[in-house]
Amino acid sequence: MINQHVFELGDDMPMPVANDDVLSFLASRRSAIAHTLTAPGPNPETLTELLRLAARAPDHRRVVPFRFVVVEGDAQTRLGQACLKAALELDADLSDAQRQLELNRFSRAPTVVIVVYAPVLEHKTPQWEQSLCCGAVCQNLLLAANAAGFGAQWITETVAYEPKLRDAFTLAEHESIAGFIHIGTAAQQPKERPRPEIEALTHRL
Ligand SMILES: Cc1cc2nc3c(=O)[nH]c(=O)nc-3n(C[C@H](O)[C@H](O)[C@H](O)COP(=O)(O)O)c2cc1C
């Protein structure tokens, strides 16, 4: 029997303590497709709190190899225009539908948070570990958004890797995109999707 108990940071915990609400929350976690996310998104105070929770990711030697770029309102339109400009430089013959897709790329949800991987170079903590920390920040942000009642999706698409868009994303030379986290109100709960078979993935020594 696992104890059910509410605890504070710093409390003594002599026995495993279960939080059934959190366990069932994790068991039903799903992403919401970005273009299905509608208003309202998080207000500024709530968004700051979500980012604070996201930043509580495991971080070996407290490197803090990440930062956030919030894209809302007019900035969503401007980033869409930058995406279209870059896409037209690669292919001047884009169809109207493709042009619209580029213009709308950052306007699908009320809020987009760009999680930037910002490694500290020449650090004792390997960059591999720093990138894992940044991935955990993205996942924390999804979970925090879901826990606050919002739907969210972590996407990158090809634009995350487009050199022509690095300035628009404010990337320094050593930085890259970990994810565009789209946050908004989900109209309906997504259906379940197949999940990995844990026994097939797990080997016990
Ligand atoms: C780094 C990363 C990048 C992703 N990029 C995309 C993407 O560009 N487009 C997309 O449809 N899903 C992308 N996904 C997958 C979605 O975030 C999500 O996992 C998927 O929609 C399945 O939903 P689930 O999270 O409920 O399993 C990405 C996931 C990760 C971890």
Side-chain angles (χ1 to χ4, degrees):
M1 178 73 181
I2 302 174
N3 291 349
Q4 178 77 35
H5 177 67
V6 177
F7 65 91
E8 301 287 334
L9 290 174
D11 277 0
D12 287 339
M13 291 172 60
M15 299 281 284
V17 175
N19 185 322
D20 290 338
D21 290 341
V22 174
L23 292 172
S24 67
F25 169 74
L26 292 174
S28 60
R29 185 210 70 81
R30 274 235 56 195
S31 302
I33 305 299
H35 69 78
T36 68
L37 294 171
T38 58
N43 65 31
E45 294 74 31
T46 302
L47 182 59
T48 299
E49 188 55 26
L50 298 182
L51 299 181
R52 198 189 318 283
L53 295 171
R56 291 183 64 94
D59 179 3
H60 193 181
R61 302 192 183 93
R62 284 199 292 172
V63 180
V64 196
F66 56 88
R67 64 185 180 89
F68 303 113
V69 179
V70 175
V71 187
E72 291 178 321
D74 291 348
Q76 295 180 293
T77 309
R78 288 198 303 275
L79 265 193
Q81 288 163 343
C83 288
L84 176 60
K85 183 167 179 283
L88 285 172
E89 283 170 18
L90 295 169
D91 176 4
D93 295 327
L94 287 186
S95 68
D96 285 350
Q98 287 167 320
R99 286 166 196 250
Q100 204 50 48
L101 189 149
E102 296 300 338
L103 281 176
N104 200 41
R105 203 176 275 284
F106 284 88
S107 302
R108 286 170 282 185
T111 298
V112 182
V113 177
I114 305 178
V115 180
V116 175
Y117 174 48
V120 176
L121 308 177
E122 314 294 333
H123 196 281
K124 195 172 171 190
T125 299
Q127 284 190 40
W128 163 240
E129 292 192 9
Q130 295 188 40
S131 69
L132 293 174
C133 166
C134 190
V137 169
C138 292
Q139 175 69 359
N140 264 7
L141 181 53
L142 288 184
L143 294 176
N146 290 160
F150 297 103
Q153 191 183 27
W154 175 357
I155 58 182
T156 47
E157 300 178 327
T158 53
V159 286
Y161 306 98
E162 176 48 58
K164 295 177 191 302
L165 288 168
R166 291 183 61 83
D167 286 349
F169 296 141
T170 77
L171 295 180
E173 203 169 326
H174 69 293
E175 293 180 330
S176 49
I177 304 280
F180 304 122
I181 311 296
H182 287 59
I183 304 172
T185 298
Q188 61 183 146
Q189 282 292 328
K191 295 196 173 67
E192 181 54 309
R193 82 196 287 237
R195 298 292 166 183
E197 185 56 56
I198 298 308
E199 282 303 323
L201 294 175
T202 309
H203 178 75
R204 290 183 170 76
L205 291 178

